[in-house]
Amino acid sequence: MTVPRLPQPGETVLGDRLGSYPGGKGANQAVAAARLGGQVAMVGRVGNDSFGAGLIENLTSNRVDASGVERDPAAPTGAALIYVEDGGQNMIVVAPGANAMVGPGDAQRAAARLGRGDLLVLQLEIPIAVIEWAVQAAREAGAFIVLNAAPAQRLEPGLLSQLNALVVNEREANTLVGHEDPSTAAAALRTMGPKVVIVTLGPAGSLYCDETGVHRVEPFDVTSIDSTGAGDAFMGALAVGLAAALPSAAAIRFANAAGAAATTSLGAQAALPRLDELRRRFGLDLSFSEQ
């Protein structure tokens, strides 16, 4: 729902429009990567309800292999309630539903699809124990592992040490290490084991820390109206860039472009950009996508 400003505790704010859109971090990131040329398979759970059927259909229509998405007979499809204020900032509450029922069998199905050179992209909307199992299985398969540590929560160093890439926003970085400065947080997180740590900075772009230090990646200038899908667009583009063997800086710049473009439309998946839009809007050289 769009609102003139985000409500304070106990306050009622009159909204403008109520919209219903396909969502979920995993599904959003899968669609984002597919729209940007990635070959994507999604593994997860939805409820045995009309929302679940619609989400599976939407994945398929966006060229995502949804055969790994199970319909849970007991839990409803997960949902999020999102308020978006003028200027694009948002407030989100998530009801996990069937996402909370993802188990080791689901992780095993995901790992069975992985080979050397593939990417496994994970988020924190499923149980941590399942994420840990999937990460270990992906390492054994020789896959590249990317964790988007959202929604924010503390993680065990043993999990972080197994990641090729960790992606967080400023709030999530602060939750993990207690540093408000994103550069300091990125450097601290990298000492825990990820090969590269990426911190997204909203309209200020992003930064990353690798073995050579902390580096800033500049933003793209757009007029933002809804930031809801920006982080997921960033993740999808980052995965495509890394799969194409782009250097970190180039992959993150590509991700910055996708994230910026996603803020110019309402909704999460509805706003996820395609390659042609990024070429047209930002003049990017995306020849890697045709290799």
Side-chain angles (χ1 to χ4, degrees):
M1 179 177 289
T2 56
V3 293
R5 57 181 176 80
L6 298 176
Q8 298 297 312
E11 180 185 20
T12 298
V13 174
L14 292 178
D16 180 18
R17 287 180 293 169
L18 174 65
S20 179
Y21 306 95
K25 286 186 181 298
N28 291 346
Q29 293 173 19
V31 170
R35 287 188 180 179
L36 295 171
Q39 293 182 328
V40 186
M42 172 81 187
V43 174
R45 283 186 175 263
V46 296
N48 190 23
D49 49 33
S50 60
F51 290 121
L55 289 175
I56 292 174
E57 180 181 352
N58 181 73
L59 287 170
T60 302
S61 68
N62 278 283
R63 297 192 305 160
V64 174
D65 179 353
S67 61
V69 179
E70 293 288 314
R71 301 189 68 171
D72 195 288
T77 298
L81 304 178
I82 307 172
Y83 304 112
V84 183
E85 72 173 0
D86 294 344
Q89 290 300 309
N90 62 41
M91 179 184 294
I92 305 175
V93 179
V94 174
N99 294 304
M101 305 306 293
V102 173
D106 300 292
Q108 186 174 10
R109 287 187 291 108
R113 294 170 174 260
L114 293 170
R116 189 165 300 277
D118 290 338
L119 271 77
L120 175 66
V121 181
L122 295 151
Q123 313 79 24
L124 299 184
E125 288 187 337
I126 59 176
I128 290 291
V130 180
I131 292 171
E132 292 172 342
W133 197 98
V135 166
Q136 181 59 41
R139 283 178 62 86
E140 293 172 1
F144 191 100
I145 305 165
V146 185
L147 174 64
N148 177 208
Q153 59 181 285
R154 298 300 296 269
L155 298 173
E156 292 297 324
L159 173 60
L160 294 172
S161 67
Q162 298 183 72
L163 304 177
N164 296 97
L166 172 68
V167 183
V168 289
N169 63 23
E170 292 176 86
R171 182 183 298 274
E172 292 151 2
N174 186 25
T175 297
L176 287 172
V177 292
H179 294 297
E180 293 188 2
D181 176 68
S183 296
T184 303
L189 284 167
R190 191 174 183 279
T191 66
M192 298 180 183
K195 299 297 187 294
V196 60
V197 174
I198 301 164
V199 181
T200 59
L201 307 173
S206 56
L207 59 82
Y208 70 98
C209 181
D210 62 9
E211 72 279 2
T212 65
V214 177
H215 308 275
R216 188 71 173 263
V217 183
E218 293 302 315
F220 289 83
D221 186 26
V222 295
T223 299
S224 174
I225 65 171
D226 180 6
S227 63
T228 302
D232 295 330
F234 181 99
M235 283 297 303
L238 178 70
V240 170
L242 293 173
L246 288 183
S248 293
I252 295 168
R253 178 172 167 77
F254 178 43
N256 276 358
T263 71
T264 63
S265 301
L266 285 172
Q269 289 185 28
L272 297 174
R274 302 180 188 276
L275 282 172
D276 286 346
E277 178 184 350
L278 298 185
R279 286 192 178 101
R280 183 177 66 255
R281 184 186 290 270
F282 303 120
L284 294 182
D285 176 11
L286 303 176
S287 56
F288 71 88
S289 65
E290 296 155 3
Q291 294 176 1

